[in-house]
Amino acid sequence: MAHSTLSQVSLAVPTGNDISPRRSVFKRNIINFGNKPWASNLSFDLKSRNAQKSNPYIVCMSVQQASKSKVGVLPSELETAKEPPLNLFKPKEPYTATIVSVERLVGPKAPGETCHIVIDHGGNVPYWEGQSYGVIPPGENPKKPGSPHNVRLYSIASTRYGDSFDGKTASLCVRRAVYYDPETGKEDPSKNGICSNFLCNSKPGDKVQITGPSGKIMLLPEDNPNANHIMIATGTGVAPFRGYLRRMFMEDVTFKFRGLAWLFLGVANSDSLLYDDEFTKYVEDYPDQFRYDRALSREQKNKSGGKMYVQDKIEEYSDEIFKLLDEGAHIYFCGLRGMMPGIQETLKRVAEQRGENWDEKLSQLKKNKQWHVEVY
């Protein structure tokens, strides 16, 4: 149902001392939703002068649909395909999609900026949860004059139905890559990330060249709805897991999830948390099926007094994690490449303490297709 004006933003925010939900925010001046079908789901008066005076930030739209009653989705054909779509559009012939919205996801104290970007592909570039789109930023490749830029891959942060549940959009979670000169400490725009800045600076209606979808390693296995899924993310690596969780807990789809989903998310501080309201709502609505642990490196300490990283959380819950893996759970890792050595060292140490050989265990997990890694 489309509305010509956006009057309200809606959000269910749980309460509770142990969860301490934080609202994702974005600056008012980058919003321009236009006449979009999901604008009607929103409750917070954007036109309120009092709100403008008292709060320069407003609630992030990405959580507006989180509620226990499942959301209807279309088109139904997206459920019936036996194989995931792959490489429908290639770099030499990309699809021209349209930016729907760009939202700042993080609070003012977050180091850096991360944006939630909704792209309208018109239903022409379907994908499955866990896949990626390629984005070709405008302009020419400085290393190959006359040629377009290389493709940058981004994990898709929505389900196959998109944030508007109509199968026509995809969402990306993008951190703006900014380069600071180590000597002067000043930003050097000439060395900033070309694609991330293009996406974060884009406005509704702007065109974007996309390729894909690509990737099979992070597809959510749905053959066993009772299976358990352990998801470990750093920063924007949470993108595919947002898609998984919306499919598990938000949408009314043929996949009827009955297992346990457990998300570990590592970021710098509370203001850097991504989609925290959505995840917190699932904890409230599905306490027996969803666990959510945050590692805030600049706010929490590990047992040794050092910074808290995701591997410290893994170690904290290692007995449960290893038991779940022994019972056939899937484990996924997504984020910066640098996250894996520390995690692997922790898992190896824990395995040895348990009298197990980690290399053998890892080999078996891979053989059983329980081990899924996507780092960049």
Side-chain angles (χ1 to χ4, degrees), residues 22 109 267-273 294-302 306-308:
R22 182 198 59 79
K109 294 179 182 176
V267 293
N269 56 23
S270 299
D271 266 20
S272 303
L273 286 165
R294 311 166 184 83
L296 308 177
S297 61
R298 300 188 187 181
E299 292 180 6
Q300 299 171 331
K301 301 289 185 196
N302 61 24
K307 290 182 175 182
M308 176 72 80

Side-chain angles (χ1 to χ4, degrees), residues 220-241:
L220 180 65
E222 297 188 1
D223 53 330
N224 177 11
N226 297 308
N228 300 316
H229 303 270
I230 303 164
M231 298 158 276
I232 295 155
T234 57
T236 59
V238 77
F241 306 141

Side-chain angles (χ1 to χ4, degrees), residues 60-209:
C60 171
M61 296 290 134
S62 9
V63 263
Q64 68 215 261
Q65 305 97 343
S67 66
K68 192 157 186 178
S69 56
K70 296 287 181 84
V71 178
V73 293
L74 290 169
S76 57
E77 305 88 77
L78 292 180
E79 289 296 297
T80 55
K82 300 298 182 193
E83 291 293 323
L86 280 171
N87 303 312
L88 303 176
F89 290 88
K90 296 181 171 60
K92 290 187 177 178
E93 293 184 351
Y95 180 80
T96 302
T98 305
I99 299 289
V100 176
S101 61
V102 177
E103 309 168 17
R104 179 184 167 99
L105 281 175
V106 295
K109 294 179 182 176
E113 180 178 34
T114 302
C115 295
H116 181 76
I117 298 162
V118 180
I119 297 171
D120 184 347
H121 60 79
N124 297 306
V125 197
Y127 57 88
W128 283 8
E129 299 74 21
Q131 290 191 299
S132 299
Y133 270 171
V135 176
I136 304 174
E140 67 176 26
N141 190 332
K143 295 178 181 176
K144 298 179 186 174
S147 298
H149 284 290
N150 294 332
V151 172
R152 272 72 163 183
L153 290 178
Y154 291 93
S155 297
I156 298 171
S158 49
T159 71
R160 64 193 72 183
Y161 297 100
D163 287 2
S164 50
F165 307 108
D166 61 2
K168 294 181 179 178
T169 70
S171 299
L172 304 181
C173 181
V174 179
R175 175 160 177 163
R176 186 190 292 274
V178 180
Y179 178 83
Y180 293 95
D181 186 291
E183 292 183 6
T184 65
K186 292 183 178 179
E187 181 182 341
D188 182 351
S190 69
K191 295 182 180 178
N192 285 350
I194 293 168
C195 199
S196 65
N197 279 273
F198 159 67
L199 288 169
C200 291
N201 289 336
S202 58
K203 300 289 188 292
D206 286 356
K207 300 302 178 183
V208 55
Q209 304 277 296

